Every structure is written in C-alpha cells, then in structure tokens.
Amino acid sequence: MALALALLPGLAWAQAAPQRPLPLRLDAQGGGGGEQAAVAAPEDIPVMRGERSPSPGDIVLTALRLRSTLDLETVATGEVTLAQGDMVLTTDSLSVQHASQLAVAKGRVTVSRGADRFRATEAEVNLITREGVLKDSVFDMARTGARGQAQNVEFFSGQRLKASRASYTSCRREDELEPDWVLSADKLSLDFDNNEGRAEGATLRFLGVPILYAPVLSFPSTDARKSGWLPPSLNIDNRSGIDLAIPYYFNLAPNYDLTLTPGFLARRGLSAQAEFRYLTERDRGHLAGHWLPDDRDASRSRGSLDVAHSGETQSGVRYDLAAQHASDDDYWKDFSRILPSQMPRLLPQDLKAQRQWTSNDEGLRLGAYARAQAWQVLQSTTDAVVPPYQRLPQVGLRLEGDAPGGTRLSVQAEYNRFVLAGRSATDTRPDGQRVHLEAEVKRHWDEGWGWLSPALRVNAARYDIASVAGTSAIERRRVIPTASLDGGLRLERQAQWLGVPLNQTLEPRLHYVVTPFREQTDLPLFDSAARDFNELSIYADNAFTGVDRISDAHQLTLGATSRLIDPQTGAERLRLGAAQRYLFREQKLTPDGLSTANRFSDLLLYGSGTPAPDWRIDGTLQFNTDTDRFARSITSVRWQPKPFHTLAATYRFARDLNEQIDVAAQWPLYQAAPSGGACRTSLYGVGRTNYSMRDRRLTDSLLGLEWDAGCWIGRIVVERTSTGRSEATTRWMFQLELVGLSRLGTSPLKVLKDNIPGYRLLRDEDALPTTTVTP
C-alpha cells in the first residue's frame, strides 16, 4: 500500500494537465556540445530562443547534449534532468515526440520528490494526459521507511495506478538477502480518489515463511477508513483455551461505523461480537455486544452488553448513559477482556441528565439534575460482594453564586430513593427515601502571601425508612451545623539543591472546625463511607463521605508543605509535607465506631518529586503516636535513565490488613550494533509482579518480551490476574507488528501501559493501514 501512496505524489505528471501539445522553448546554456536547457511552457507558442525564468508549472529539461527537430522530436542525452516543481527525473537518455507528446526515458532512470526516490530501467510519460509507465521499478520512501519493487507501474490520469509483480516491505535490503517480511502481489491497483486498493495473488512472507495468502487483498489506499476484514486476533487463556477472532469493519459513514467479529473458542465454541460507534454534532457513543450461543463448558448461552452515550440538546440539557450487563456471575472471570472495569464484579447501569442556567452577569448559577443508578452484582459463593444501594431515582437542584460583602453562597437540595436489589437472607439493611439540604456561606481572602477562608455550613436531612425483617417503617430527621476557618501562608526564598539554584517555599496551613454531636446511629448508611487518610482528607470538615454521617468535631489541623521549584521552568522538583489533627474534645462519631479519647490523630508525612535526574519518588506515611509505629505507608520509586529503560517499585503497608510489594520494569536485555546498513535489533524485557507478604503469594503478575528488529516488532506477554484466593486467570498475548503495514494478533499494549509506570511504545502508536481480505 505504501508503494502507491508514495509513487503518485512523487510524479508531477500524474496531476491534471492541459489537453493540447506543449511546444518546447529552448534556452541555450552553451555552444556546440555544451549543456543546453529546454523549458516546456503551457502556451501554444512557436519554438523560439531567448531567456525566461521558468514558472512553477514549467517542465525544465537539462542535458549535456540536446537535439531538437522542429515539430518532430527532441532528444536529450548525458546527465539528463527533467524537473517540475519539487519533482526531478534523471536518466541517461530522453526523447520527446512532439506529435504524440510521448517522453521516453531509458538507462538509469530515477524519479525523486523530496526525500522519496524511485529507480527504473525505462519510463514512458505522456505529457498531455500525464499517464506513464515505469519498468523494473525499485522505490525507497524516506517518509514511511517503505521500499519495494515492481515489474511495471502504470499511471493513469487522476489518482489511479496499476502495478504488476509488485512487492513491499519496510525492511532494509542487505545484499541479495530476502527482507525479514515482504508482501508480494501478482497485480496491484490503487484508486486514491475512491480510497480503494486491490492486490491479486497476495502473499505475506515472514522470515521466509508464508504466513498469509489471499486470492484478493483489499485495503485503503490513503489514511482514510475502508470496509473489509481486519487482521485476526488470537487469545490464549486457561479458562477458554485458544480464542480466534476475525473482525470485519464496516465504514458506514464518516461519523459512524460497525465492527462484527465472529470467533471460535476451543473450549466453548462459536462466539460473536459487535460494536457500533457514532459521533454527531451533539451526541456520541458506542454499543457493544458479546454472545456465545452455546458455551460447551458452561452448558448454556452467555453474553454481555456495553452501552455508552453522551450528548446535549439545543436547550442545554446534557445527558449521559453508561450501562453494562453480563449473563451470569462467572462472566467476569471467563471474559475479563470483554468488559474491562476497575470494579469487574459491579456492572453499572447509570442514566443521568443535567441542565444549568447562568445569570446575565454570571454571578449566579442554577443547576438541575436527575439520575437513575443501578448495579448488577456478580456474586461468588466463596467471596461475596456487599451490593451497593441503587438510586431510583436521584433528583436535585444546586444554586451557587456571589452574595453581598464578597461572600460565596451555595445551596443544594436533593431527593433519593434507595433500593437494594438481590438482597441476601442475612442482609438487614433497609430500603428508604431521603431528602436533604446542604447550604454554605463562605468568604475567601487571598493576598498572594497568604489566604483565609471562613465558612458556615448546615446539613439537614429527612429519612423515611422502610420496614425490614418485621420492623416497622420509621421517619427520622436531623439538622447539623458546621463552622470552619481555613488559612495559610506562602513564604518563599532562594535555595540550592545539588548545586542547582531553586526557589524554596514554606506553606503552613491551619484548619479549624466546630461541629456539634448529633445521634445518627439509628440512620441507615445509604451513601456514606469513611474518608481515606491523606493530605487532602486531613483538612476535611467531615470524616465521612456522603450525607448520612456527619462527624462531630472541635478540632484544629496543623500542617506545612515545602516545595523546591525550578525558577526557569516552574517545574516542581521536590515536595515534602506533614500534618496532624488535634481534638479539643472527645470525638464520639468516628469511622471505626469507637469514640476517640486520644487528642492527637496519626501524624501524616508525605512527599513527591524528582530529587535527582531520572529519579521519581512518591510516598505517604501514617504514623501512630500512641503505639509509636507506622499504621500505613505507600512508597514508590521509579528510575528512568533513558527511553525504554524503566525500573519501578512500590511498597504498600496497612497494619493488620495487608503488606504488598509491586515491581515493574521495561529494560533492554540485548542490543546488537547495526552493521552494513542493517537495522539495530533489540530485545526488551517487560514485566510486573505483585507479591502479598501477608498471604505469601503472588496476586497479579505480568511478564513478556519485545523483539524490535527495526522493520518488525514481536511481542509475547503472559498476564496472570487473581480472581480469588485460590483462583487466577492466565492469558497469553502474541502480536506481530509489521512496521508500515499492520499489527497481527492480540495487542498487549494497553496492558503494558496500564501496569508498567513509564512504559513507552517502541514505535509511535500511529494508525496503521487497515488490511482487508476478500476470499
């Protein structure tokens, strides 16, 4: 395909031309046997001698010897050059018949445009129709790195060409050795206007072995999309065995397409996948489905559905839909790649809409929203999941804007109906309805060197709790006010780090909160959970997320952050901080359900940055001052001295819960020095492993090899994902990337990028040609 992409723009005569003879205008450059030049100008003028600078549309002919017979023939020999614009044709001999306007070049013929180069033994060009033939042509494309040869290349007017006995590769040719991969065809035709390419008798050879033969191979002749078969994918795992799929792509319109993928699983039988994508002026989304009509291993039909849609009406209503559904509880184990998710056992069905109005001065904004959210929980007999509440529905209003005196006002009112679906016999959580109102008045001062933000908040809620297990329905109400004061300073000085001048900041911060205690243990937990303990949550007013729990507080949080900043670029080189909370009175409502007698919270230490070139460090430490031991820590280190060289390690510790070590890498294992113009070959190792020190077992792991031979890349990756304490799914991925042609097999690139920090592709992930096969 790259042959046609390169040849046509390389020849200026393939463009539109005047449909009348082009007389030659001769300009003598010397006498006798000296060099002469001829200029073909698009005007019907008689042959004449003189001086004129060629225009961009002229064809300039130069040679050591030039002979012209009026109205018959012009012959040029010896270092002949025919130039038009950025196209240059050189040859040993060139003749132009005036009557037919046929130019014939013989000998060592080369055609170049820019850095692209073509060589042939003979070329014929009609200067009127811009049609031509190259015989025994060899091409070398600097833009794409493609090269190949053809017995004959025929050019037609417009954007069409044909070639016979053509071959194409992106590998360098070493003497008479066959390239590592080559695509050959008996006949090749390309139509750039209609984006159609067709190769008859096509054979793809890799390392001398035919790996693909097709009586007819069709493909797009440009970067535009084209309908047809895509390269097959091959998956191997311990649950389904060999999984072979061959997608067919339908380019239905510029803004929507369809991919149908029939497949076969060795242990399960036939399968089918479909994905429809669309993009309009106001809407976008996709619809995907997976179906096994008869899973032999499970003795039933199985499938899944994945829908995503987002858009906006002309009136400004924004809406979003995200829905996933699986046929059975074991689907996530057997087909993890079909429904990728951070929570593979919780499949969302979420529909929401919102509308916002803004006042003319943009000082006041009103928003309305509605939502219906449900979940499909994929349960297990050995590792049960506690199902979350469904919101059927959620409706709310939100108002925020400027108030007198520079204050900021925000009010939110919301109604929720919470329902539990698939409740187990031991689940005593009630269904219910909740109406709540949250209001805040806040004032913010910022002078650059410091800032101060006092705020008043109120959280009011009314509950209608349904009866469960013989209990009667009840109604509960509560109103909880909160006052807070948040402020800090920004101090800065010049400093040095490893001899490099930097700006160092010191940013102390105080956060004071007062919230009275209200009994809430008789209220359900619809959407509340304990906050994580980190550098953001330690300055939060409430120890819980959501609405159902508001922790009582009379506390002061003191913290400080220091940063080292490059004054030239503004980049942050290092960031260190510490924070701790002090309670003025005992806190009764806590995440663990126990009142807090200790006045000091755990000490939080955190840091991140690049203390030295090629190094990146991030860490968070939670130190318990009562036991003088670390309660939790997360520390990660990454060393990346150069591209494709990455080592990363992460240590996670939570006392009495877990302790894990995570190691990941991308590193060259072997590199051969290039010789004789050949490509440099490299072997890279990639991998990641997660080891639980508490359980003394590997949880998730990834291991693979990438072989870069310059014109092709081979990848073998095996991934092991834990699906339970004694269960795991192992998947093998094989991919052969023929640079400049296509990728064959199952791509492990997303898996590598998601699992290895700092992983880099060996090649830019540009869109590769879409190769299609017609039986």
Side-chain angles (χ1 to χ4, degrees), residues 389-685:
Y389 277 98
Q390 304 184 75
R391 299 173 186 258
L392 300 172
Q394 176 187 20
V395 182
L397 291 173
R398 183 184 298 111
L399 176 67
E400 59 181 11
D402 298 327
T407 59
R408 189 76 176 170
L409 172 67
S410 65
V411 179
Q412 181 179 18
E414 185 178 286
Y415 165 78
N416 285 271
R417 176 175 172 265
F418 295 98
V419 179
L420 276 178
R423 186 198 310 271
S424 66
T426 59
D427 193 343
T428 60
R429 291 177 298 163
D431 296 342
Q433 302 179 66
R434 184 188 70 200
V435 178
H436 78 269
L437 175 71
E438 293 181 283
E440 178 187 66
V441 178
K442 186 176 183 179
R443 180 68 165 91
H444 183 73
W445 289 274
D446 195 329
E447 299 297 331
W449 52 264
W451 54 276
L452 186 66
S453 295
L456 292 174
R457 300 178 184 85
V458 63
N459 185 303
R462 176 181 179 271
Y463 293 83
D464 291 317
I465 305 171
S467 60
V468 176
T471 62
S472 59
I474 59 175
E475 177 184 321
R476 291 288 185 269
R477 300 184 184 187
R478 58 125 175 97
V479 178
I480 304 176
T482 297
S484 67
L485 180 65
D486 199 5
L489 299 175
R490 303 185 185 99
L491 309 176
E492 184 175 316
R493 69 167 187 169
Q494 293 182 348
Q496 284 192 344
W497 176 269
L498 300 178
V500 179
L502 299 170
N503 291 338
Q504 182 183 13
T505 69
L506 178 60
E507 303 168 46
R509 180 180 179 182
L510 284 172
H511 183 76
Y512 176 72
V513 181
V514 176
T515 302
F517 171 75
R518 296 290 187 270
E519 183 61 52
Q520 301 167 67
T521 56
D522 58 343
L523 300 179
L525 284 171
F526 288 139
D527 61 1
S528 284
R531 289 186 185 273
D532 189 23
F533 192 72
N534 55 47
E535 59 183 292
L536 297 178
S537 64
I538 197 171
Y539 293 104
D541 294 347
N542 187 14
F544 298 87
T545 62
V547 177
D548 300 315
R549 292 293 185 271
I550 306 296
S551 59
D552 58 302
H554 185 199
Q555 63 191 33
L556 176 68
T557 303
L558 173 63
T561 300
S562 180
R563 298 185 294 159
L564 293 177
I565 301 175
D566 190 326
Q568 302 297 324
T569 63
E572 186 178 273
R573 295 287 301 274
L574 186 65
R575 183 170 183 265
L576 299 174
Q580 190 173 28
R581 181 184 299 141
Y582 176 76
L583 303 178
F584 292 98
R585 67 167 181 249
E586 177 184 2
Q587 190 175 48
K588 299 179 180 179
L589 185 60
T590 61
D592 57 11
L594 303 175
S595 60
T596 303
N598 184 15
R599 297 300 179 90
F600 288 95
S601 71
D602 290 350
L603 175 64
L604 181 67
L605 305 173
Y606 53 89
S608 63
T610 55
D614 310 325
W615 286 88
R616 174 73 186 182
I617 300 177
D618 296 273
T620 300
L621 302 175
Q622 181 179 338
F623 184 76
N624 189 305
T625 55
D626 287 339
T627 61
D628 291 334
R629 295 191 301 177
F630 286 106
R632 195 179 66 162
S633 66
I634 301 177
T635 306
S636 62
V637 180
R638 187 173 76 194
W639 180 47
Q640 195 166 6
K642 61 179 69 174
F644 317 115
H645 293 64
T646 298
L647 293 175
T650 301
Y651 173 75
R652 298 179 179 89
F653 170 77
R655 187 166 300 279
D656 299 329
L657 292 177
N658 65 70
E659 186 175 8
Q660 295 179 338
I661 296 178
D662 194 304
V663 180
Q666 179 189 27
W667 203 266
L669 305 178
Y670 167 80
Q671 289 183 324
S675 61
C679 296
R680 177 175 182 172
T681 58
S682 302
L683 177 65
Y684 295 86

Side-chain angles (χ1 to χ4, degrees), residues 231-463:
S233 64
L234 178 67
N235 285 281
I236 301 177
D237 63 50
N238 63 330
R239 302 189 71 89
S240 300
I242 298 176
D243 180 0
L244 177 64
I246 306 178
Y248 190 90
Y249 176 77
F250 293 90
N251 183 30
L252 303 177
N255 61 328
Y256 55 90
D257 56 23
L258 172 67
T259 304
L260 298 179
T261 308
F264 176 77
L265 290 79
R267 295 183 182 178
R268 304 184 185 277
L270 298 176
S271 69
Q273 289 181 254
E275 182 182 21
F276 177 70
R277 303 184 303 174
Y278 55 92
L279 174 64
T280 66
E281 182 180 356
R282 294 185 176 276
D283 296 89
R284 65 186 304 166
H286 78 269
L287 172 64
H290 178 229
W291 180 51
L292 281 80
D294 182 17
D295 186 336
R296 296 196 303 263
D297 189 64
S299 300
R300 63 178 182 272
S301 63
R302 307 177 72 184
S304 65
L305 185 65
D306 185 6
V307 180
H309 177 85
S310 61
E312 183 175 357
T313 66
Q314 291 185 349
S315 60
V317 178
R318 295 180 56 187
Y319 44 87
D320 297 274
L321 170 65
Q324 292 182 335
H325 178 77
S327 58
D328 55 89
D329 289 338
D330 291 331
Y331 188 91
W332 70 282
K333 297 180 181 179
D334 299 335
F335 309 103
S336 58
R337 62 185 180 85
I338 302 297
L339 292 177
S341 172
Q342 296 294 327
M343 300 181 296
R345 299 178 62 184
L346 288 177
L347 305 183
Q349 290 97 44
D350 195 354
L351 174 63
K352 54 187 176 182
Q354 57 181 331
R355 173 73 160 88
Q356 182 169 293
W357 296 266
T358 305
S359 63
N360 293 333
D361 59 358
E362 298 185 355
L364 191 65
R365 291 190 297 273
L366 174 65
Y369 57 92
R371 184 182 193 182
Q373 183 185 45
W375 302 88
Q376 181 187 4
V377 182
L378 305 185
Q379 289 289 8
S380 171
T381 56
T382 59
D383 187 14
V385 174
V386 178
Y389 277 98
Q390 304 184 75
R391 299 173 186 258
L392 300 172
Q394 176 187 20
V395 182
L397 291 173
R398 183 184 298 111
L399 176 67
E400 59 181 11
D402 298 327
T407 59
R408 189 76 176 170
L409 172 67
S410 65
V411 179
Q412 181 179 18
E414 185 178 286
Y415 165 78
N416 285 271
R417 176 175 172 265
F418 295 98
V419 179
L420 276 178
R423 186 198 310 271
S424 66
T426 59
D427 193 343
T428 60
R429 291 177 298 163
D431 296 342
Q433 302 179 66
R434 184 188 70 200
V435 178
H436 78 269
L437 175 71
E438 293 181 283
E440 178 187 66
V441 178
K442 186 176 183 179
R443 180 68 165 91
H444 183 73
W445 289 274
D446 195 329
E447 299 297 331
W449 52 264
W451 54 276
L452 186 66
S453 295
L456 292 174
R457 300 178 184 85
V458 63
N459 185 303
R462 176 181 179 271
Y463 293 83

Side-chain angles (χ1 to χ4, degrees), residues 100-264:
S100 62
Q101 292 294 295
L102 180 65
V104 179
K106 295 183 178 181
R108 296 170 297 176
V109 181
T110 65
V111 178
S112 62
R113 180 166 183 171
D116 304 329
R117 184 179 180 87
F118 310 87
R119 300 185 300 277
T121 59
E122 184 177 342
E124 296 181 0
V125 181
N126 189 307
L127 299 179
I128 298 177
T129 63
R130 301 311 197 256
E131 296 180 355
V133 178
L134 285 174
K135 297 183 178 180
D136 297 326
S137 175
V138 177
F139 62 90
D140 195 339
M141 296 297 300
R143 291 174 297 177
T144 62
R147 52 194 57 85
Q149 60 187 19
Q151 187 179 66
N152 289 300
V153 178
E154 299 179 62
F155 297 91
F156 300 91
S157 59
Q159 301 279 316
R160 296 186 300 115
L161 66 84
K162 289 184 178 180
S164 61
R165 297 192 179 278
S167 65
Y168 164 75
T169 184
S170 60
C171 299
R172 296 182 182 273
R173 295 182 178 273
E174 302 180 40
D175 299 327
E176 300 299 325
L177 298 178
E178 182 179 353
D180 283 357
W181 73 266
V182 60
L183 176 66
S184 58
D186 295 335
K187 295 182 180 180
L188 174 70
S189 61
L190 294 162
D191 187 340
F192 292 93
D193 289 331
N194 297 315
N195 188 31
E196 292 182 356
R198 179 184 176 89
E200 299 180 13
T203 302
L204 178 62
R205 293 179 176 272
F206 178 67
L207 299 179
V209 178
I211 61 173
L212 176 66
Y213 172 78
V216 177
L217 187 71
S218 63
F219 49 86
S221 58
T222 67
D223 291 337
R225 300 172 301 174
K226 181 181 182 296
S227 299
W229 293 102
L230 300 178
S233 64
L234 178 67
N235 285 281
I236 301 177
D237 63 50
N238 63 330
R239 302 189 71 89
S240 300
I242 298 176
D243 180 0
L244 177 64
I246 306 178
Y248 190 90
Y249 176 77
F250 293 90
N251 183 30
L252 303 177
N255 61 328
Y256 55 90
D257 56 23
L258 172 67
T259 304
L260 298 179
T261 308
F264 176 77

